[in-house]
Amino acid sequence: MLFSWRPSTSISPSVASLSSTFPLRPRPKPTSPFRHFNHLLTESSSQTMIVSTTQKPEPSSARDAAHRVPGLNPSEIDAIAEETFRRYSLSSSGSAGSNVKRSGKGVSIVWFRNDLRVLDNEALFKAWASSDSVLPVYCVNPRIFRGSTYYFGFPKTGALRAKFIVECVANLKKNLRKHGLDLLIRHGKPEEILPLLAKSFAVHTVYAHKETCSEEVNVERLVSKALQRIEVPSNHITKPKLQLVWGNTLYHVDDLPFECSNLPDVYTQFRKSVESKSTVRGCIKVPASLGPAPKIDDWGSIPSVEELGLHDVKVSKGSVYIGGESAALGRVHEYFWKKDLLRVYKETRNGMLGPDYSTKFSPWLASGSLSPCVIYEEVKIYEKERLANDSTYWVLFELIWRDYFRFLSIKYGNSIFHLGGPRGIQLKWSQDKDLFESWREGRTGYPLVDANMKELSATGFMSNRGRQIVCSFLVRDMGVDWRMGAEWFETCLLDYDPCSNYGNWTYGAGVGNDPREDRYFSIPKQSQVYDPDGEYVSYWLPELRRLPKDKRHYPGISYLKPIVSLKFGSSVNRQTNFGGKQKQTGSNRR
């Protein structure tokens, strides 16, 4: 999909009482008012051109194959990226910053984190404009690749996302080289690496994109303090400083018609306000050459997944997402121009099977390999040259959702990670380990839930529709602590970003900032509407393929016994086919 999750209609659920507790890790309470930041693009994958969930099924061999996203060969991807860089170059007439001349002196560092791109990268542009030599740096931070999630101690970054990030870093290095620079790769904590480099190269400024959640903000503080502790020669006027630049949203934080502290608690109010009162800034263009870089003998090598302490995983079915800015630009070209799918996005976006029911931009947006402003400009070009309709607008509508969750995390800080959410709702939740693991492993006995969880484990991706379904099932039907689901998504998702992920989970759990977002997704209804022939569930659960299409969601004794009864959804007659007396989890939520 394009973005992460979207709200829908709701029914008030019941939530289970506490039962056997999943062990919590004792960890210090965050000292920052923020802990994390983000939302929006989360679309799913699979790659053979399927734009409708009701299309005829492919032959078994084709259906089972893993498909690349984008579905272009490497030379096509490189050619598209090169042409896109040319169109958005600093020399292009009317481009943002086209009158800027390089007048700075000395050396600056660009500290890359979640902005792994060259195009529309203001931190990179400012470093180039303010210096006569630029040192790009990527720190392989053990907090990210070897750390654990906050409450339940899951791996902070799973192998599939780690592999995707490694590919993004490798492509960034390649594209920087094409622009006269390189990427210095160092293993360790940024607050230890950057000050040493700043001292060695007499750096005047370290540029980076601003993050908003407390874990990331805390690292920024540590870096800034470490830079100030550097002892500089007497002939230096100032010590090196950290300069943070806002980026990675469609609307710039300075252009909002209100302070983040006064952000509307209803998305529609936010969207209408920014659409009428704010303007999307033009992309930050880059010169053909960003060099020179300082002379360095060893620029470091791209780490393997194994070197990050993880086991490399091969995706054997579903979609394989190719990391990096070049692949991201290739996907934009493929989806908008080559396959001309932008015109039908709104009609197909709720699909679950195939590579093309949605844009699938979200992994590249989350890693910062693709700027939302580039998508915006490409949509506007498409509308001018081909067609403007509800579908072209809906891509922008989703990008605004992504912005909204990021700005919300500024307003509400760490509360988006707390059990009661931004509103401090006091509910009783279960941390039953057996229930949670049946959900995590796709063994709930409900094919639609299980298929989505199998896809997540196998590919690192899940459709927007699927995310809402499995979230609702975990918190509404199982009554399990929503944070367990959110942290498992944090581990697995290629497109994980804290603002979107946790913002959506608070909405799904009924503890989000908007009290109207209290939603229940009926498994029978969702199955009937979004996978009527059982093509999706039979793809991820091959044992169901032999069943008639109308039995795939209701396999009875041919499948696992449902682990819980559904709280709602009995309006669909065949719901009783799930059958039997099930384990119950609880009481009313209030």
Side-chain angles (χ1 to χ4, degrees):
M1 59 186 142
L2 174 64
F3 324 97
S4 306
W5 319 38
R6 298 178 289 272
S8 296
T9 54
S10 59
I11 302 173
S12 296
S14 327
V15 178
S17 58
L18 284 165
S19 62
S20 62
T21 302
F22 201 99
L24 292 178
R25 284 194 167 198
R27 303 180 78 169
K29 185 177 180 180
T31 55
S32 167
F34 305 118
R35 187 181 110 71
H36 274 310
F37 248 32
N38 96 56
H39 169 244
L40 181 61
L41 293 96
T42 320
E43 301 182 280
S44 177
S45 110
S46 210
Q47 198 204 347
T48 359
M49 186 172 174
I50 302 175
V51 296
S52 168
T53 57
T54 59
Q55 285 181 313
K56 292 182 179 180
E58 299 175 77
S60 178
S61 59
R63 292 173 81 248
D64 288 340
H67 303 285
R68 289 166 51 97
V69 181
L72 306 169
N73 64 48
S75 61
E76 289 177 308
I77 290 174
D78 287 344
I80 290 166
E82 186 174 340
E83 171 58 21
T84 306
F85 281 129
R86 187 196 63 78
R87 288 193 293 113
Y88 285 90
S89 68
L90 190 59
S91 58
S92 298
S93 59
S95 62
S98 58
N99 295 323
V100 175
K101 293 184 179 180
R102 189 175 196 178
S103 56
K105 300 294 183 183
V107 180
S108 63
I109 284 176
V110 182
W111 172 27
F112 284 94
R113 291 190 289 174
N114 298 314
D115 55 344
L116 304 177
R117 65 181 185 272
V118 173
L119 184 58
D120 194 39
N121 190 319
E122 189 169 0
L124 178 60
F125 180 82
K126 284 182 175 291
W128 170 82
S130 67
S131 314
D132 54 24
S133 183
V134 177
L135 176 57
V137 179
Y138 181 80
C139 302
V140 183
N141 190 342
R143 296 184 183 96
I144 303 299
F145 295 104
R146 296 177 182 269
S148 302
T149 59
Y150 191 84
Y151 290 109
F152 300 101
F154 305 139
K156 195 161 188 67
T157 302
L160 288 168
R161 184 164 77 250
K163 183 175 182 179
F164 185 82
I165 293 172
V166 165
E167 291 175 355
C168 291
V169 172
N171 185 250
L172 174 63
K173 186 176 183 75
K174 177 180 176 180
N175 286 336
L176 285 170
R177 283 177 169 176
K178 289 181 178 179
H179 287 80
L181 291 174
D182 205 325
L183 181 64
L184 181 64
I185 298 172
R186 291 289 183 263
H187 292 252
K189 295 179 179 179
E191 66 270 23
E192 297 170 356
I193 293 170
L194 295 172
L196 290 175
L197 294 173
K199 184 174 182 178
S200 297
F201 293 96
V203 167
H204 60 76
T205 307
V206 175
Y207 291 92
H209 273 106
K210 171 68 178 168
E211 292 290 345
T212 51
C213 299
S214 61
E215 289 183 351
E216 294 79 9
V217 168
N218 185 51
V219 176
E220 293 171 1
R221 291 197 183 106
L222 292 173
V223 169
S224 182
K225 289 179 180 178
L227 291 174
Q228 290 305 302
R229 289 196 296 267
I230 293 176
E231 295 182 4
V232 298
S234 57
N235 59 336
H236 282 225
I237 301 175
T238 59
K239 293 185 177 183
K241 65 181 183 296
L242 175 64
Q243 182 169 332
L244 298 170
V245 178
W246 185 265
N248 296 337
T249 56
L250 183 62
Y251 288 98
H252 196 285
V253 66
D254 293 342
D255 298 336
L256 297 180
F258 31 66
E259 297 295 325
C260 284
S261 58
N262 295 319
L263 199 77
D265 280 331
V266 177
Y267 168 72
T268 301
Q269 295 175 6
F270 168 80
R271 175 182 59 80
K272 289 182 176 180
S273 184
V274 295
E275 286 181 329
S276 62
K277 299 176 183 178
S278 303
T279 303
V280 176
R281 296 185 181 187
C283 290
I284 301 296
K285 311 312 194 275
V286 293
S289 176
L290 291 161
K295 181 176 175 54
I296 294 177
D297 293 330
D298 180 13
W299 285 88
S301 59
I302 305 297
S304 66
V305 173
E306 290 83 0
E307 288 173 332
L308 298 176
L310 301 164
H311 295 290
D312 196 3
V313 179
K314 180 177 175 58
V315 177
S316 59
K317 66 185 298 184
S319 294
V320 181
Y321 290 85
I322 311 304
E325 180 176 21
S326 296
L329 297 175
R331 178 58 180 174
V332 173
H333 174 85
E334 176 184 56
Y335 189 85
F336 284 12
W337 303 103
K338 183 178 181 180
K339 295 185 176 181
D340 200 23
L341 295 172
L342 179 55
R343 66 175 62 234
V344 294
Y345 169 74
K346 193 169 186 285
E347 287 70 49
T348 63
R349 66 192 172 90
N350 277 313
M352 291 187 287
L353 185 62
D356 292 330
Y357 60 79
S358 66
T359 67
K360 307 299 192 302
F361 295 159
S362 57
W364 295 291
L365 283 163
S367 65
S369 303
L370 178 63
S371 162
C373 294
V374 170
I375 297 173
Y376 177 87
E377 293 200 9
E378 290 296 306
V379 168
K380 292 304 176 182
I381 294 170
Y382 182 95
E383 289 180 332
K384 183 178 180 180
E385 296 186 4
R386 290 196 180 174
L387 175 72
N389 63 7
D390 286 348
S391 287
T392 59
Y393 167 71
W394 215 257
V395 168
L396 305 182
F397 175 92
E398 300 284 12
L399 284 170
I400 299 171
W401 256 117
R402 181 175 178 270
D403 280 12
Y404 183 58
F405 276 98
R406 181 162 288 245
F407 296 134
L408 273 178
S409 65
I410 299 176
K411 178 178 180 178
Y412 287 108
N414 281 348
S415 68
I416 67 171
F417 307 100
H418 296 167
L419 186 61
R423 291 183 291 131
I425 303 296
Q426 299 299 312
L427 303 174
K428 290 184 178 180
W429 298 91
S430 165
Q431 291 178 355
D432 186 291
K433 187 174 181 180
D434 292 337
L435 284 180
F436 175 74
E437 288 187 350
S438 71
W439 176 85
R440 177 173 66 177
E441 296 171 6
R443 297 184 289 101
T444 69
Y446 293 94
L448 189 60
V449 174
D450 294 347
N452 274 285
M453 297 307 294
K454 298 284 188 186
E455 180 182 11
L456 176 62
S457 294
T459 69
F461 202 84
M462 188 191 295
S463 68
N464 179 71
R465 177 59 48 179
R467 297 181 200 208
Q468 295 180 93
I469 291 167
V470 302
C471 170
S472 176
F473 182 81
L474 182 74
V475 302
R476 310 301 195 175
D477 294 308
M478 285 185 155
V480 169
D481 188 334
W482 65 269
R483 298 170 303 172
M484 298 172 78
E487 289 195 3
W488 184 241
F489 271 31
E490 180 175 350
T491 295
C492 296
L493 286 173
L494 298 180
D495 58 16
Y496 168 74
D497 95 64
C499 306
S500 299
N501 185 59
Y502 284 88
N504 274 294
W505 273 95
T506 60
Y507 268 43
V511 299
N513 55 285
D514 187 347
R516 303 177 308 169
E517 293 294 344
D518 194 14
R519 301 166 287 155
Y520 177 84
F521 286 78
S522 162
I523 300 300
K525 181 178 179 181
Q526 297 293 312
S527 301
Q528 187 178 70
V529 173
Y530 297 105
D531 190 31
D533 294 331
E535 289 299 320
Y536 176 75
V537 297
S538 65
Y539 179 83
W540 288 104
L541 304 169
E543 63 268 35
L544 300 180
R545 290 182 192 172
R546 60 183 176 79
L547 298 180
K549 292 180 179 180
D550 64 345
K551 297 293 185 183
R552 289 173 176 174
H553 286 285
Y554 316 99
I557 61 173
S558 299
Y559 189 59
L560 301 172
K561 182 179 179 181
I563 196 165
V564 295
S565 294
L566 297 176
K567 298 289 191 295
F568 301 98
S570 58
S571 60
V572 178
N573 293 332
R574 288 190 298 180
Q575 189 224 344
T576 55
N577 291 345
F578 283 114
K581 191 174 181 181
Q582 314 303 335
K583 180 178 179 181
Q584 300 294 327
T585 58
S587 56
N588 292 332
R589 54 183 286 212
R590 292 188 187 276

